[in-house]
Amino acid sequence: MLPLRIVVIGGGAAGFFGAITCAKANPDAQVTLLEASRQPLAKVLISGGGRCNVTHACFLPEELVQNYPRGAKALRGALTRFGPQDTVAWFAAGGVYLKTEADGRMFPVTNTSETIVECLIKAVATSGVKLRIGTHVTSVTATDGGFDILLKSGDPIKCDRLLLATGSSLVGYKIVKELGHQIEPPVPSLFTFNIADPQLRSLAGVSVNPVQLRLSGGGKSQLQQTGPLLITHWGLSGPAVLKLSAWGARVLHESRYQATLLINWLPDLQQEEVREKVLAVKDEWGKKAIALHRGVDLPHRLWQYIIARAGITTEDRWAEISNKTLNKLVQEITQGQYLISGKGAFKEEFVTCGGVNLKEVNFKTMESRLVPGLYFAGEILDIDGVTGGFNFQSAWTTGYLAGIAMATSD
């Protein structure tokens, strides 16, 4: 009897994990991993500022899935079969230990992504996976017994089962479509906001935690986030912005990244409480300059910027401002309007919203519901998480489930 022939296309986190899992679960299988570039695991290497945010210390699937703007429902069961605790144990078994930071993100104790890359490459070698780098796939055809793969070199490969883990690659999407699957249009997720306001940009480096951000007219309550914000020389960044960009990825894409952002700089206070604080300062420090006596917990430079937006000069005294100006100040503090004029990058850690339609995939096995023997893992699926290790966890989970299923199904 001929050994089972399994091919994995895509040498990223999901592809490696799927290939390793499959080879370990079925040592008799011939597992081949194809990667188009000369550098497998390139995204793993640069992730987390070169430290690799492997996963997140959130061990309850029902809580974990709340960090996925797309794919939460589909991942709910999958994460019970392979979740963050399994990821931690898997890497520990390979001699790589993870640490948890204050915000729940988990990194290798070595603080370098090279540790994770070396662990995965070693696991590929010891499990018997054949890794072929610089190998471009041009087409895949489903046959009665499996798949015919044509390489750019002209060489053909035949296999019984195929795992597509090509990320947001256009070649991967092309193969998926040719095999009869639907692709949800890919658009960027996890990005910063460009704000064309020189005065705001002059505050680059100022951070506030927490703030509440809301996309005006977004309609959905999802399109608001509370958390840390960082002012940059191009606009706004920080976890609250990145999360909002993920939840609002499609809305923002459709508006060509032109939108109104509402910022509440003091979300822990009701608007009326902010008004009371401002009135209290006015009563107590009437003869003092507003620019120097703020009465609310905001960075000094940011306060000066906010009062200027309310039409207050650096010379104005508290006693001199009208109720109308005071109302404008409270409005600027609690729901100031900022025009988003485009999107910025988030370092090299690009994430894409969109991919294979999840209704066409069995999430117990990651097998296609349309093409027997075809499996999916990682970012090729219409799944994306917010920043914090959630996208990698999705890759480990879906790669693992696909690997087990390919190795053991009839």
Side-chain angles (χ1 to χ4, degrees), residues 7-19 21 33 75 78 162-169 172-173 176 354-356 358 361-363 365-368 374-383 391-406:
V7 169
V8 178
I9 304 177
F16 261 73
F17 219 67
T21 302
L33 176 55
L75 277 178
L162 174 66
L163 171 58
L164 290 178
T166 48
S168 53
S169 139
Y173 292 150
V176 169
V356 176
L358 304 185
V361 182
N362 176 351
F363 268 75
T365 60
M366 304 314 301
E367 186 174 15
S368 162
L374 175 64
Y375 297 78
F376 301 102
E379 206 185 337
I380 192 172
L381 295 155
D382 184 21
I383 294 175
N391 288 297
F392 271 133
Q393 184 56 53
S394 171
W396 311 131
T397 294
T398 54
Y400 179 87
L401 294 179
I404 291 292
M406 290 190 298

Side-chain angles (χ1 to χ4, degrees), residues 12 43 86 98 132 187 203 223 239 249 258 260 274 280 282 285 298 308 312 314 317 335 344 385:
K43 209 165 171 180
D86 302 298
L98 306 182
R132 295 179 60 175
V187 302
L203 302 178
L223 299 186
Q258 312 290 310
T260 300
V274 174
K282 184 180 179 184
W285 302 99
L298 288 172
I312 298 168
T314 51
R317 314 278 167 185
Q335 51 185 77

Side-chain angles (χ1 to χ4, degrees), residues 90-112:
W90 192 94
F91 280 103
V96 175
Y97 299 96
L98 306 182
K99 61 176 179 177
T100 306
E101 301 205 336
D103 58 5
R105 293 180 302 161
M106 300 191 76
F107 294 89
V109 294
T110 57
N111 261 341
T112 172

Side-chain angles (χ1 to χ4, degrees), residues 146-226:
F147 302 89
D148 287 342
I149 301 167
L150 184 63
L151 303 181
K152 191 176 181 180
S153 63
D155 296 335
I157 299 178
K158 289 183 179 291
C159 66
D160 303 301
R161 286 165 201 162
L162 174 66
L163 171 58
L164 290 178
T166 48
S168 53
S169 139
L170 294 178
V171 173
Y173 292 150
K174 173 177 168 283
I175 291 169
V176 169
K177 287 179 181 175
E178 287 173 352
L179 290 169
H181 273 276
Q182 182 184 337
I183 292 287
E184 298 301 321
V187 302
S189 182
L190 287 188
F191 48 83
T192 58
F193 296 161
N194 293 345
I195 309 286
D197 178 348
Q199 281 71 42
L200 178 70
R201 293 177 175 189
S202 72
L203 302 178
V206 171
S207 61
V208 185
N209 182 24
V211 300
Q212 184 185 72
L213 306 178
R214 184 158 55 91
L215 285 178
S216 177
K220 297 180 180 177
S221 59
Q222 295 278 31
L223 299 186
Q224 70 174 40
Q225 289 291 330
T226 301

Side-chain angles (χ1 to χ4, degrees), residues 268-281:
D268 290 340
L269 299 175
Q270 297 294 322
Q271 189 176 60
E272 204 47 49
E273 291 177 297
V274 174
R275 187 184 309 280
E276 287 169 11
K277 277 183 173 287
V278 170
L279 283 169
V281 182

